[in-house]
Amino acid sequence: MVMKKAKYYLLLILAVVMSGCDDFLEKNPPSKPSENTFWKQKSDLDMALTACYGTMTKFDHGYFSFGMPQWDSFVDNCRSVEEGITFDVFQGNIDPSTAGIIQDVYKGAYVGITRMNLFLYQLDKYENTDLSESERNFSKGQVLFLRAFYYSFLYRCYGDVPLIVEPLDLETQYQPKVEAAKILEQIYTDLNDAINLLPDNTYLELPGRVTKGAALALKTRMMLYDAYNTDGKADVEKMRNALSVAEQIKGYRLCDDFESIFQGSAQETNPEIIFSTKYLAPNNWHKSDLWFGAWLRCAPLTNFVEEFEFKDGTPFSKESDLYNPENPVENRDPRLDMSAFYLQLKIGDVEQPVTGDLPTKYGLKKFVTRDKTQYPIGYNTRSDQDWVHFRYAEVLLAIAEAENEVNGPTQKVYNAINSIRARKGVDMPPLPTGLSQAQMREKIRHERRIELAFEGHRYFDLKRWRIIGEIMNNFDEPTLPLYKSVFEDRFYLWPIPQSEIDKNNGVLVQNPNYK
């Protein structure tokens, strides 16, 4: 019976996961291990674990890694130019048949979850003596984190979804939805187990691997997401718990050079990175230089650019003596120039080609390769900067947010925010003293938008604060008068893709607001 079920597991995986799966999921590939010979030795487990990480790099649109800036195109940070991919979400054209990201995130998350479940199943029954207990725990902790990572997107985007924590066979392949609360409970269960199993090393000590700090960081992120009521008010007890978790993350510090966090040459020794998706050309690469530098797939909006203060800490205003209409980036928070370019992208003194439209006159610079020794003019078509999922600045911002909601604007809050603003190369002045809790709340939200721009946070931040409707329904882009957003309350949760419901034999039902 065990062998029969194992065969079902592999056949089902082969049928539904993806056409280009790694070798350990292929059925009898030429010159490769067969089903009957795989999972027999530690090297097989190592290969399978690498393939689990590989799910984060496999999707064409990169929604879980290098394509994360596209999440900011749903809101007021950047313009979407991809109709049918992200533009429909911005415009409010959301229904069960909407193509693009609404379908791709759902399918992609379950591709990852399916692979994690298969690995955990095989790891649990692996009995060879070539795998030590510490190695087993480390492997399990990493994969539990990755499963929680995928479920975190399903929870925040769709709410009630199927909860699948073991491989499916032909008898169990049709799964109903469960309440979103149970999905969140599973995320916390996986993360708590991962925290107990993973070593307390930093990412520099175990590059490319999930460590305890990453599991704590994801748990903090999810606790903050769940800490606001439907009226946008913070639950103080949940904030207190989130603060406790965030403060357990040790061994990291802010990097002295903001730009280097996102540059391949400096990422290997960066003390701020807690976890990233690793790339290495020519075999494992992405298209971010072309997408965001040349093609302007996410063009920063005026609303976003005007969020950046002047270098003296005063809010942006065209009436200020520091404003230069010929070069609006001048005299501003230096993170503006590090995140966006005005009119023409320059790397050093070299102008780089921009083929996309510049309706707002701004383009995305943050993730574009700065090293032009090999590509002095033009773009690397096989980029390999690692995509940073968690970094210490986000942890400090979480500490500031939670502490402010629990105890008000204490010195702890000021220290966290001011340390980010004082980073070498940024050198922004400290926040003014004497702020009220409400004033500090706005300062923290400002700092999150500036510091974490295009890293995939803004959309989820506006949702958890319950202000996304207010922001987007009153959104205005002066350079694009017809570029309007529509947000309805039902859009807090996306519909289950109709294609998934159609093939689920009547077991999977649609979210109630999309029937």
Side-chain angles (χ1 to χ4, degrees), residues 73 101 104 147 155 184 362 388 413 496 499:
S73 67
I101 194 168
D104 294 342
R147 185 168 71 181
Y155 173 79
L184 184 61
Y362 292 94
V388 179
V413 180
I496 304 297
S499 58

Side-chain angles (χ1 to χ4, degrees), residues 266-373:
Q267 289 175 320
E268 300 305 313
T269 58
N270 199 294
E272 184 168 338
I273 298 174
I274 299 175
F275 179 66
S276 65
T277 293
K278 305 290 285 185
Y279 291 90
L280 183 63
N283 296 321
N284 188 19
W285 52 275
H286 54 81
K287 305 174 184 177
S288 66
D289 284 314
L290 285 172
W291 277 16
F292 305 124
W295 301 344
L296 300 178
R297 197 160 183 163
C298 294
L301 295 166
T302 302
N303 179 278
F304 166 74
V305 172
E306 293 184 350
E307 182 77 11
F308 287 83
E309 301 166 346
F310 287 109
K311 63 182 181 181
D312 64 356
T314 57
F316 173 78
S317 170
K318 292 182 179 179
E319 306 303 317
S320 171
D321 291 339
L322 294 173
Y323 175 64
N324 180 359
E326 300 300 318
N327 182 14
V329 175
E330 189 176 271
N331 298 323
R332 306 284 290 282
D333 182 329
R335 288 172 291 183
L336 174 55
D337 185 48
M338 298 175 191
S339 302
F341 66 84
Y342 180 68
L343 292 180
Q344 180 64 56
L345 176 59
K346 290 184 179 181
I347 305 299
D349 295 327
V350 180
E351 292 187 353
Q352 303 299 324
V354 175
T355 59
D357 294 332
L358 271 174
T360 68
K361 300 184 180 179
Y362 292 94
L364 179 54
K365 181 180 179 182
K366 190 171 187 177
F367 310 106
V368 176
T369 303
R370 305 293 200 268
D371 182 4
K372 290 299 176 182
T373 56

Side-chain angles (χ1 to χ4, degrees), residues 137-148:
N137 290 341
F138 187 26
S139 296
K140 184 176 181 179
Q142 293 172 78
V143 176
L144 287 173
F145 167 90
L146 293 172
R147 185 168 71 181

Side-chain angles (χ1 to χ4, degrees), residues 111-342:
V111 166
I113 290 165
T114 299
R115 190 172 293 188
M116 305 314 152
N117 288 341
L118 177 61
F119 181 91
L120 291 169
Y121 168 81
Q122 293 291 350
L123 179 67
D124 184 60
K125 68 174 191 165
Y126 187 81
E127 297 180 347
N128 286 7
T129 59
D130 59 348
L131 183 71
S132 69
E133 190 65 20
S134 62
E135 289 171 326
R136 182 186 297 273
N137 290 341
F138 187 26
S139 296
K140 184 176 181 179
Q142 293 172 78
V143 176
L144 287 173
F145 167 90
L146 293 172
R147 185 168 71 181
F149 176 85
Y150 284 115
Y151 269 120
S152 75
F153 281 89
L154 293 171
Y155 173 79
R156 290 178 294 171
C157 291
Y158 306 93
D160 299 354
V161 294
L163 178 59
I164 304 170
V165 293
E166 59 185 20
L168 303 178
D169 58 27
L170 298 180
E171 298 172 358
T172 62
Q173 61 181 304
Y174 302 119
Q175 291 290 314
K177 297 191 302 183
V178 303
E179 293 180 356
K182 291 185 178 180
I183 300 298
L184 184 61
E185 180 182 349
Q186 184 63 48
I187 291 171
Y188 288 149
T189 296
D190 283 353
L191 290 176
N192 289 336
D193 289 344
I195 289 165
N196 290 328
L197 292 168
L198 291 169
D200 199 11
N201 297 83
T202 67
Y203 195 58
L204 283 180
E205 294 167 331
L206 289 171
R209 295 299 183 185
V210 174
T211 64
K212 183 174 294 187
L216 289 166
L218 179 52
K219 185 176 180 181
T220 300
R221 184 183 291 178
M222 294 307 298
M223 292 177 81
L224 284 184
Y225 190 84
D226 190 49
Y228 288 87
N229 301 321
T230 55
D231 60 0
K233 297 292 180 62
D235 182 311
V236 173
E237 188 59 30
K238 288 183 177 181
M239 281 293 184
R240 183 176 287 109
N241 293 336
L243 178 62
S244 174
V245 173
E247 290 184 324
Q248 294 176 44
I249 301 172
K250 307 293 185 183
Y252 298 92
R253 64 174 177 83
L254 294 173
C255 176
D256 290 337
D257 181 0
F258 178 80
E259 286 185 304
S260 72
I261 301 167
F262 314 103
Q263 299 300 306
S265 59
Q267 289 175 320
E268 300 305 313
T269 58
N270 199 294
E272 184 168 338
I273 298 174
I274 299 175
F275 179 66
S276 65
T277 293
K278 305 290 285 185
Y279 291 90
L280 183 63
N283 296 321
N284 188 19
W285 52 275
H286 54 81
K287 305 174 184 177
S288 66
D289 284 314
L290 285 172
W291 277 16
F292 305 124
W295 301 344
L296 300 178
R297 197 160 183 163
C298 294
L301 295 166
T302 302
N303 179 278
F304 166 74
V305 172
E306 293 184 350
E307 182 77 11
F308 287 83
E309 301 166 346
F310 287 109
K311 63 182 181 181
D312 64 356
T314 57
F316 173 78
S317 170
K318 292 182 179 179
E319 306 303 317
S320 171
D321 291 339
L322 294 173
Y323 175 64
N324 180 359
E326 300 300 318
N327 182 14
V329 175
E330 189 176 271
N331 298 323
R332 306 284 290 282
D333 182 329
R335 288 172 291 183
L336 174 55
D337 185 48
M338 298 175 191
S339 302
F341 66 84
Y342 180 68

